[in-house]
Amino acid sequence: MRAMVLHSPGQPLCLEERPDPDPGPGEVRLRVEACAVCRTDLHVVDGELPLPRLPIVPGHEIVGVVDRVGAGVDILHAGQRVGVPWLAHTCGHCGYCRLGRENLCDEPLFTGHGRDGGFATHVVADAAFCLPLDLPLDAVHVAPLLCAGLIGWRSLRMAGDEALNLGLYGFGAAAHLIAQVARHQGRRVYAFTRSGDEASQSFARSLGAVWAGGSEDPPPDQLDAAIIFAPVGALVPSALKAVRKGGRVVCGGIHMSDIPSFAYRLLWEERQLLSVANLTRADAAEFLRFAGHVPLHVETTTYQLDRANEALADLRAGRLQGAAVLVP
C-alpha cells in the first residue's frame, strides 16, 4: 500500500510504501476510493491538535470498499462500500457512552489522529464504526459528506428548528452543504466570508443564500442563529452581535483560535454560545438518510494521493470552493 504520512507536525507529509495491513478482530480493511481533506486535517498536520501517536496517516472522510474482513465481523462483507468518519472507536462503558453521547466518550479514538486514516490506498477500520453507503453519488462526491456534512448536520440541529434566519460564518466544505440542507428546510441562509471574497459570496448565492457578505458586515436582518465553521475566535463576538435576543451561536469546529474578550451585553438577553464535539453514529445515519432523499450539490476539487500536501496548502490558503478530495 501507499500512504501520505505525517512524521512531525508542521512538516510536509511523506509518500511511503508499507506492507498491506491486516484487519484484526472486529476490523475490516478497505481499498480507499476517495478521501476528502478536512480543516481538521490541517489542524493535525500543523500541530494545532495534540496527537496521541506519530507517525500518523491523516484523513477521516473516507469512502472505500471492504476487501478483507477480520475475525468476528458479520455486519459488513467483502465488496461492500462504506464510509469511515472522524469517530473511529469509543469505549462503550463511560457515562457518556451509556447515555448515548458517544461523541463525548472519555476514551475515544479518531480516524487520522489516533489511528491511521485515509490519505492512503488502504485503511483498517473498526467495523462497528463504518457507515454503510447507499447513495446515488460517486465516491469523490460522497467523501465530503462524512465530516463536512456530518458535523454540519449536527451543528444545524444544535442551531434549533426555530432558526429560520441562519448565518453561516466561513463558506467552505461544510457550509456549502449545510446551506443547501437549510434551504430545503425552508430557512433563509446568510453567508459570511472573508472580507472581499467575492468568489465565495457568489458561490453562496448560487446555492440559495439570500445574502452574502464579509464576516464583519452586519446582515440586513437579525439572525435567529449562526454557525461558525471558520476556526477564527474573533468571529464569536461578531456572530453574537448579529443574532437576536434568545438566539444561538454554534461553534462547529474542533479547533478555534482564542476568542477575544467582548462586552457582556453581546451575550445578555439569553443568547447562547454552544460548541459541537465530534459526532455520533446516530447523527451519521440520520444525515445519510437525508442525503439519500435530497440531492446535494457537492463541489469538489480532486488531487492524486501524492499531491496531498498541495491539497492541504490550497485549503489553508482559501483557494478552494467546496471540498478537496484525494483519489488514490
Side-chain angles (χ1 to χ4, degrees):
M1 64 170 284
R2 294 180 301 130
M4 294 295 289
V5 184
L6 177 69
H7 287 273
S8 179
Q11 298 300 311
L13 305 180
C14 298
L15 181 63
E16 296 181 3
E17 290 190 0
R18 295 178 164 187
D20 289 344
D22 286 320
E27 297 179 332
V28 293
R29 186 179 73 191
L30 309 181
R31 174 177 52 81
V32 177
E33 293 187 312
C35 184
V37 182
C38 176
R39 187 162 292 278
T40 301
D41 297 318
L42 274 184
H43 299 320
V44 168
V45 171
D46 292 345
E48 293 169 326
L49 292 179
L51 294 172
R53 50 164 285 197
L54 283 170
I56 189 75
V57 179
H60 58 274
E61 297 178 279
I62 308 167
V63 177
V65 174
V66 177
D67 73 354
R68 184 167 293 185
V69 177
V73 175
D74 58 8
I75 56 175
L76 300 175
H77 58 81
Q80 185 174 4
R81 177 193 269 185
V82 299
V84 181
W86 172 246
L87 188 66
H89 180 80
T90 58
C91 71
H93 56 74
C94 72
Y96 297 107
C97 286
R98 292 199 304 270
L99 289 172
R101 304 181 72 185
E102 63 184 9
N103 61 306
L104 300 178
C105 174
D106 285 333
E107 302 175 35
L109 284 176
F110 301 115
T111 310
H113 176 267
R115 63 184 300 164
D116 284 338
F119 287 11
T121 57
H122 295 78
V123 65
V124 169
D126 185 328
F129 287 80
C130 291
L131 308 173
L133 296 175
D134 185 20
L135 296 172
L137 294 170
D138 61 29
V140 167
H141 293 90
V142 172
L145 303 183
L146 297 174
C147 186
L150 295 183
I151 296 299
W153 177 263
R154 187 172 179 86
S155 300
L156 182 61
R157 289 178 60 223
M158 291 184 71
D161 293 338
E162 70 281 5
L164 298 181
N165 282 1
L166 178 71
L168 301 179
Y169 285 77
F171 206 82
H176 99 283
L177 296 173
I178 295 310
Q180 298 173 67
V181 175
R183 292 291 300 126
H184 177 80
Q185 294 175 340
R187 307 179 197 239
R188 291 162 55 88
V189 174
Y190 298 75
F192 297 81
T193 73
R194 291 171 174 163
S195 180
D197 188 351
E198 295 182 3
S200 292
Q201 292 167 18
S202 176
F203 182 45
R205 286 190 289 268
S206 76
L207 295 176
V210 298
W211 176 89
S215 58
E216 299 299 325
D217 296 338
D221 305 293
Q222 277 195 315
L223 305 177
D224 299 312
I227 303 173
I228 301 176
F229 290 117
V232 181
L235 293 176
V236 169
S238 297
L240 284 169
K241 188 182 301 184
V243 300
R244 61 165 172 78
K245 293 182 285 187
R248 293 179 179 176
V249 172
V250 180
C251 299
I254 195 171
H255 172 83
M256 180 179 278
S257 60
D258 289 348
I259 300 172
S261 62
F262 56 87
Y264 173 65
R265 61 180 172 78
L266 295 182
L267 187 61
W268 188 57
E269 296 174 317
E270 299 191 353
R271 293 174 179 86
Q272 300 175 55
L273 179 60
L274 308 170
S275 72
V276 168
N278 313 313
L279 72 149
T280 68
R281 284 170 286 181
D283 294 327
E286 188 177 61
F287 176 65
L288 292 174
R289 281 195 300 270
F290 178 92
H293 291 92
V294 178
L296 296 175
H297 170 73
V298 186
E299 185 79 8
T300 61
T301 301
T302 59
Y303 301 77
Q304 293 183 350
L305 179 62
D306 59 4
R307 294 175 59 206
N309 289 311
E310 181 182 341
L312 289 165
D314 286 346
L315 177 58
R316 186 184 291 109
R319 290 189 287 263
L320 294 165
Q321 299 294 350
V325 181
L326 300 183
V327 182

